[in-house]
């Protein structure tokens, strides 16, 4: 299954199905980008089997694929990055029922209800509870306590740490950012019960002790 996903994780990935998908600022589009410089109907991706062709629809700011502006229909492949209005989209392939989360170290500790935890809210792992009893590192690298296997994440992306009565999330200089309730955090943020924590396409619900 092939999809187009926002590299900053702002919206859910969109499955590429025949006959295709449109990209633009208006809600009538399959992929909506609400940003300056994006036309109401900006680009079009045609799908024919396993062939994906993107075209710019005479937009003012243009459409770029892998950093190069396109002026003719261009074939897309897995890993290609589309840039429209400063927003980056990536073509990815979802291969069956493989897991997205890999837990190790502190994230595998068993804990009762007297500690902070995060609950997976997307993917096959939805509902999985991860206790946070100590500092937990999150990223694409397998040595992280919570490894999230998707390309939008940096190798060392963010960390969670309980400090006194609080739970702190820190972004570790990631490329695509860490989001709390849909807002990108600058450095660190104090979490509260029910907050939605997002890394790429993976969301967690914060649960207080």
């Amino acid at each position: 299954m092939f999809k187009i996903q926002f590299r900053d994780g702002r919206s859910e990935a969109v499955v590429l199905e025949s006959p295709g998908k449109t990209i633009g600022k208006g809600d009538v589009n399959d992929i909506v980008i609400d940003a300056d410089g994006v036309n109401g109907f900006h680009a079009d991706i045609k799908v024919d089997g396993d062939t994906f062709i993107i075209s710019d629809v005479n937009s003012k700011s243009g459409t770029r694929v892998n950093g190069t502006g396109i002026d003719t229909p261009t074939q897309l492949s897995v890993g290609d990055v589309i840039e429209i209005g400063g927003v980056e989209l990536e073509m990815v392939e979802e291969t069956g029922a493989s897991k997205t989360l890999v837990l190790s170290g502190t994230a595998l500790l068993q804990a009762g209800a007297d500690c902070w935890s995060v609950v997976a809210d997307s993917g096959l792992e939805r509902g999985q509870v991860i206790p946070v009893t100590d500092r937990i590192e999150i990223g694409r690298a397998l040595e992280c306590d919570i490894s999230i296997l998707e390309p939008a994440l940096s190798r060392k992306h963010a960390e969670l740490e309980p400090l006194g009565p609080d739970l702190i999330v820190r972004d570790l200089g990631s490329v695509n950012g860490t989001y709390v309730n849909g807002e990108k955090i600058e450095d660190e943020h104090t979490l509260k019960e029910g907050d939605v924590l997002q890394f790429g396409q993976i969301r967690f619900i914060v649960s207080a002790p």
Side-chain angles (χ1 to χ4, degrees):
M1 180 187 299
F2 297 92
K3 295 182 177 182
I4 291 290
Q5 69 178 17
F6 285 87
R7 298 191 84 192
D8 62 9
R10 67 178 63 189
S11 298
E12 293 289 340
V14 175
V15 177
L16 289 174
E17 301 172 312
S18 179
K21 301 294 179 183
T22 61
I23 306 173
K25 198 166 190 176
D27 289 339
V28 296
N29 290 282
D30 301 296
I31 302 171
V32 179
I33 302 178
D34 187 8
D36 293 340
V38 180
N39 286 21
F41 179 36
H42 195 105
D44 176 67
I45 301 176
K46 295 190 182 303
V47 179
D48 183 7
D50 287 340
T51 300
F52 309 92
I53 304 292
I54 186 169
S55 302
D56 183 80
V57 188
N58 298 317
S59 68
K60 292 182 179 179
S61 59
T63 299
R64 300 171 70 86
V65 175
N66 299 327
T68 301
I70 61 171
D71 52 17
T72 59
T74 301
Q75 185 164 339
L76 293 173
S77 302
V78 172
D80 282 349
V81 175
I82 304 161
E83 184 182 342
I84 292 175
V87 176
E88 292 185 334
L89 308 165
E90 185 174 15
M91 182 172 167
V92 297
E93 183 178 8
E94 190 174 280
T95 55
S98 60
K99 284 187 172 292
T100 304
L101 298 182
V102 178
L103 306 183
S104 62
T106 303
L108 285 177
L109 291 176
Q110 295 297 315
D114 59 345
C115 72
W116 287 91
S117 61
V118 291
V119 184
D121 190 47
S122 56
L124 294 173
E125 299 84 0
R126 185 170 185 172
Q128 181 169 355
V129 179
I130 303 170
V132 186
T133 59
D134 203 347
R135 189 179 70 86
I136 284 180
E137 197 169 63
I138 302 163
R140 185 164 42 86
L142 288 174
E143 61 264 28
C144 291
D145 298 295
I146 302 177
S147 180
I148 300 178
L149 306 179
E150 68 164 75
L153 267 71
S154 299
R155 287 183 55 78
K156 302 293 180 70
H157 194 101
E159 65 181 16
L160 294 170
E161 184 176 12
L163 288 177
D166 297 325
L167 179 63
I168 307 297
V169 60
R170 299 186 187 92
D171 186 83
L172 300 178
S174 68
V175 174
N176 293 316
T178 297
Y179 290 76
V180 177
N181 300 326
E183 297 291 332
K184 186 176 182 179
I185 68 171
E186 293 301 321
D187 183 18
E188 69 176 40
H189 183 88
T190 300
L191 297 166
K192 63 182 184 298
E193 170 75 24
D195 277 349
V196 179
L197 185 59
Q198 186 163 351
F199 310 97
Q201 296 297 314
I202 301 299
R203 297 184 306 274
F204 297 92
I205 305 299
V206 176
S207 179

